Amino acid sequence: MAEPGKTPFQVDLRRYLREQDEDRNLTRLICEIAEASKYIVNSIRTGDLGVAGTSNLYGEQQLALDVLSDRILRKRLAHSGVVANIASEESPEILPISPDCEGKFSVAYDPLDGSSLVDVNLAVGTIVSIYEGCDLLQPGRNQVAALYILYGPRTTMVLSTGNGVHEFAMNKLMEYTLTRENITVESSGSIYSPGGQRNKYTSGVEKFVGQLEENGSKLRYSGGFVPDINQILMKGKGIFFYPHLQGAPDGKLRVLFELNPMAYLIEQAGGAASTGRERILDLTPEGIEARAPVFIGSKELVAKAEEYVAAHG
Ligand code: AHG
Ligand code: MN
Ligand code: MN
C-alpha cells in the first residue's frame, strides 16, 4: 500500500517493490526493464519507422524499431547481473547470459508488439515474461512475474509479481509512479476484441461472435495486443480473442512472448485465458516459436467461448 497520507501517485516503482518486500534481484530486473523502456519510448517517438531489411523467426519483416527495441532491452538485461537466459520474439535462439541459475531469472519478451502500427501512430507495447532459474520452456503458470509497457498517449507499465495487478505511469521525469493497485476483471462484460480474419473463423467462433453481437457487445479492436488487453484490464471487463482459423489451427500469437505474460496478468486480475480448449498457463511450449489460439478476459465470456468451440469447433 502507498504510505498513509500519501496519494498512490507519489509511490515510485522501486519503492513500491521494496514496500511489497519483493525479492531484491527481481526488483533489480524489473527496474532495468523500466530503464530500457525510457529509450524505447524515445525511439518510437523520434525513431526511424523504416524496415530493417531483415526478418524474424516467423519470417516476418523486422522494422528498424523492432530490432532497436530488442537491442535496447537485451543489453540492459544482459548487464543486469540477475539474468540467466533470454528469449526474444526478434531472435531465433535462446540467448544464454549466465551459466549459473541460482538467484537468477530467465526472461522472454516481445520488445515491440504491434510494430506495424507505429507508422499509423497507434499504440504499441513491450511484453515481458519472467521465470526463476534457467528454463524458459516451462508452463506459464510457473512465471514469477509478468508485465507490459504500453506506449500510448501516456506511457504505462502494468505489472504483477503474483500479488495482484498494478499500473504505474511514466511521469515527466520518466519515472514510473503507482496509479492503480489491484486491478480486477469482472466475470462478464460487453466489450469484445476479435482478432484474425473473420472469413477464416470456424463455425464455433462464428457462433460465439454472433451471440456476443446479439447481446449488444461493443467491438473494440486496435490490432495491437497490448492496448487491446490493456482496455479489458482498465475497463475491468470484456474478451479478446485471436482464435484458431481455417488454415491456421494455432492462430497467430506466440505462447512465450505474448500469451503467457498476458494470461498471467489477466488471471492475477481474476480473469481467464484459454486456447479455446485448455488453460493457456498449462501449456508446455515445445519451442520458443510455439503459437496458440487465445480467448482471454472475463471468466464467463472465456467459458462461453470454450462451450462454442467444444460444440462447433
Ligand atoms: P507483433 O507486432 O509483435 O508481430 O505482434 C502483432 C500481433 C498483436 O499485436 C496483434 O494482436 C496481432 O498481431 C494482430 O494480428 P493481425 O495483424 O493478423 O490482425
Ligand atoms: Mn508481438
Ligand atoms: Mn513484436
Side-chain angles (χ1 to χ4, degrees):
M1 282 304 284
E3 287 159 40
K6 277 198 185 294
T7 62
F9 285 85
Q10 291 157 0
V11 178
D12 68 76
L13 176 64
R14 186 182 296 277
R15 187 161 64 190
Y16 184 80
L17 292 169
R18 265 212 302 270
E19 281 174 3
Q20 300 298 312
D21 199 18
E22 273 311 336
D23 171 286
R24 284 169 53 85
N25 286 352
L26 182 59
T27 295
R28 178 130 177 232
L29 174 57
I30 293 169
C31 290
E32 285 291 354
I33 294 165
E35 275 302 300
S37 73
K38 294 180 185 177
Y39 298 90
I40 295 177
V41 69
N42 275 330
S43 62
I44 291 167
R45 303 232 185 289
T46 56
D48 159 15
L49 303 183
V51 294
T54 51
S55 58
N56 63 16
L57 68 158
Y58 306 95
E60 295 160 339
Q61 188 178 61
Q62 288 175 307
L63 297 181
L65 277 179
D66 284 323
V67 175
L68 178 57
S69 307
D70 180 36
R71 200 176 309 138
I72 291 167
L73 207 42
R74 187 184 331 164
K75 235 170 80 191
R76 290 213 79 102
L77 292 177
H79 295 105
S80 67
V82 292
V83 168
N85 291 312
I86 291 175
S88 164
E89 186 196 79
E90 298 306 328
S91 57
E93 312 286 332
I94 288 181
L95 189 64
I97 301 296
S98 149
D100 63 315
C101 307
E102 201 43 45
K104 292 201 170 25
F105 299 90
S106 285
V107 184
Y109 63 77
D110 180 350
L112 199 61
D113 180 86
S115 45
S116 59
L117 299 173
V118 176
D119 60 348
V120 295
N121 203 16
L122 282 175
V124 292
T126 295
I127 312 172
V128 183
S129 168
I130 300 172
Y131 291 92
E132 259 169 352
C134 288
D135 182 6
L136 277 164
L137 293 178
Q138 307 181 45
R141 63 175 179 267
N142 295 345
Q143 291 170 94
V144 292
L147 64 92
Y148 62 78
I149 295 149
L150 174 54
Y151 309 107
R154 289 181 296 124
T155 298
T156 54
M157 175 191 285
V158 173
L159 162 72
S160 178
T161 55
N163 305 305
V165 181
H166 317 296
E167 180 199 54
F168 300 81
M170 190 185 270
N171 64 19
K172 51 183 177 300
L173 300 176
M174 299 192 92
E175 296 155 346
Y176 285 101
T177 58
L178 182 69
T179 42
R180 293 179 201 219
E181 257 190 308
N182 300 318
I183 296 163
T184 55
V185 173
E186 294 157 24
S187 57
S188 193
S190 55
I191 292 174
Y192 70 105
S193 206
Q197 285 123 309
R198 192 73 183 265
N199 63 338
K200 294 187 179 161
Y201 278 11
T202 59
S203 155
V205 179
E206 200 48 66
K207 290 178 186 319
F208 173 61
V209 172
Q211 61 90 31
L212 288 173
E213 289 171 338
E214 267 152 44
N215 296 342
S217 288
K218 284 192 191 134
L219 192 158
R220 291 285 183 273
Y221 188 76
S222 78
F225 192 38
V226 177
D228 289 342
I229 292 293
N230 188 65
Q231 174 164 225
I232 290 169
L233 276 168
M234 299 307 152
K235 296 280 188 209
K237 60 184 179 183
I239 185 167
F240 172 98
F241 46 100
Y242 202 109
H244 50 295
L245 301 169
Q246 291 165 35
D250 289 336
K252 170 182 181 180
L253 297 179
R254 282 65 46 143
V255 175
L256 260 73
F257 310 113
E258 294 158 329
L259 301 186
N260 274 341
M262 291 307 200
Y264 181 85
L265 290 167
I266 287 280
E267 285 201 5
Q268 279 288 318
S274 166
T275 64
R277 298 188 190 283
E278 64 180 300
R279 184 184 179 222
I280 291 280
L281 293 183
D282 287 340
L283 294 174
T284 302
E286 309 277 305
I288 64 169
E289 74 296 337
R291 299 171 193 261
V294 63
F295 300 80
I296 180 170
S298 293
K299 261 197 169 102
E300 285 173 18
L301 296 178
V302 172
K304 181 62 84 183
E306 289 178 324
E307 282 171 30
Y308 278 95
V309 171
H312 308 285

